[in-house]
Amino acid sequence: MTDTTEDTPKKKKAMSMTAEAAAADERGSQDAGFVQSKHAGHHWSGEAPMFIYAVWYLAFLYIPVMFLPLFSFNDSIYVAFPLKGFTLQWYGDMVDNPALLRALENSVKVGFGVAMASTFLGMFAAKAMTRYYMPGKGPITSFIMLPLVIPGIVLGIALLVISNTMGMSLSLWTIAAAHTLIGVPFAMLVMVSRLEGFDRNLEEASLDLGEGVVQTFLRITLPLAWPGILASVLLTFTISFDEFILAFFLAGNEVTLPIYIWSQLRFPNRLPMVLSLGACVLVFSFFIVTFSEVMRRRGVGPQGGAAI
Amino acid sequence: MTDQTQTGGAVGSYTENTSLGFRVRSVFLKHEWLRGYTLLSPTLLVMICLMCVPIFMLVAYSFWTQNYLDIDKTFTFANYEAFFQKPIYVALMMKSIRMSLFCTAVTLVLAYPMAYFIAFKVKSNKLVWLILITVPFWTSYLLRVFAWKVILGYNGVINSGLISLGLLSEPLQFLLYNPTAVVLTLAHAWAAFAILPIYVSLEKIDRSLLEAATDLGDTPTERFWRVTWPLSMPGMVAAGLLVFIPTVGDYVTPRLVGGTTGIMIGNIVQSQFGKANNWPMGAALSVISMILITILVVTFITSTTRARAKSA
């Protein structure tokens, strides 16, 4: 245990320092690899540095967050090496905490509502985008994608300002509205790649054979698109479940889990409990998103779903 | 069963085909775009209500002033004047933009080889690699930033690890609470956003172009700079924007790992809506940020497209 964790900081440092250099000389060698593999079958030597870099990169992505689960089992209130011993105490604290459970319940409620609303809206938008000839499709797509590139803080305060002007008090509803705004673009992306993936002649055949629009949608489109729908529901749920920046501005008395975590960061003695909670959230999100990604990319091809 | 009743209804309405319902229906059947827009309208309506109207209101707020607890709704440029008169605002804005640009550059440099690897070198398990890259991006942003606080802290993972290894006698102070920590954390947090657009643009490159370059005598390095690199530029531009724009306004990372020297404009905006309680000033600051970002982005895009047109 200690062995692997001890060499990670070094690895990371080495990586960030050599990354640029590695990137530079890999370009040369890897292009050579491309030619070699074309002419002489599998030639691994030219690709090895590239592969090592890729593994480093994954380590850079994953190892930092792995420290949260690691220290959540550590029998000490300080997050420091050497590890003191194994304990489940912090997980016990977590379960006994009514405020936390309340926040969890709120997060699930909001996440579920957001998943339904954004998938519903995203699906209709995607259907319109992929099936109908419409002038101005490009600008409309960019418009729907806008929430992804507007800084979160701007959306957050804009929604705060509008709810204040309209005399709406902040609640879980305001959080859900904000999360739906950022959920729709992702839902639409997922659904567009799914709907583009199947033969639209099937829908036309159904219409030609006398089914109505609604029947066709229920009997052809929906069954074929359901992996995309499921992926979108799971993805938008997780986006909402983990979202902090917007929720921070729009939360009233009822808070969601990330807001709760933020409020606990001020108390050093609650740090271990935050770690165990964080570990649970990470593992949970990880599995849901992995499942969702597998769903959405299955049978779509490596390019289709890769836009985001 | 339902079919029969439907046809019955249709025949019925055919006899009085001037009815409003029938006319609306035939207009819909005639114009495909109308059906498309109808299907799209709920989404557009929600987006307008939740994005355009609030941002419009935010802009309106920026021209008002805070009068203790009330908002004085007389139109004024006072907040914008305050921005340019107080050097701290301008300096902080420039610093935020510099830090974001630096972070974007780091992210792109780190991401490019990875995207190249997945696009050209991975033969059989592309999907697995793509999923491995994407998944961390969806997991809690707050927790990923928090992880860096834990790692870089005075008694954190790196310091305590190096001390318990005997490589260090006392903790390093310079790890946490500075702009470098902010840039590192942001580069980590936005990594996936940078890889995917670059990957897509590399994947799209017609492989026969590469073969042609080789056949015509290009060395692999020449081929990379003359074919692959220019063709991957759109992906680089998209990735750069996707990282740059959101990071300028970030307040979570600077707050958690930036300390006093690492604060960014987002922290000031946030405090105007919190402790400082001057909403109109906060609104003005965010409007100014948006305008600056837009100007930067537009100049960047026009200059890159012009450069590409020139080279082509």
Side-chain angles (χ1 to χ4, degrees), chain B residues 177-237:
Chain B
Y177 300 135
N178 56 53
T180 319
V182 176
V183 170
L184 176 65
T185 309
L186 285 175
H188 176 254
W190 292 93
F193 239 27
I195 291 181
L196 290 175
I198 303 176
Y199 163 77
V200 171
S201 69
L202 287 170
E203 186 69 42
K204 270 193 210 144
I205 295 177
D206 188 348
R207 298 302 193 264
S208 54
L209 290 176
L210 299 177
E211 278 170 38
T214 316
D215 291 347
L216 293 172
D218 260 4
T219 67
T221 319
E222 278 173 336
R223 189 186 63 190
F224 174 81
W225 289 113
R226 284 164 46 158
V227 182
T228 317
W229 176 254
L231 287 175
S232 64
M233 270 333 266
M236 287 288 271
V237 171

Side-chain angles (χ1 to χ4, degrees), chain A residues 30 53 62 81 121 133 135 149, chain B residues 37 110 116 121 132 160 245:
Chain A
Q30 125 235 144
Y53 178 78
Y62 281 86
F81 285 113
L121 293 171
Y133 165 77
V149 288
Chain B
Y37 275 114
L110 289 177
Y116 191 99
K121 301 298 161 189
L132 276 173
S160 65
I245 299 173

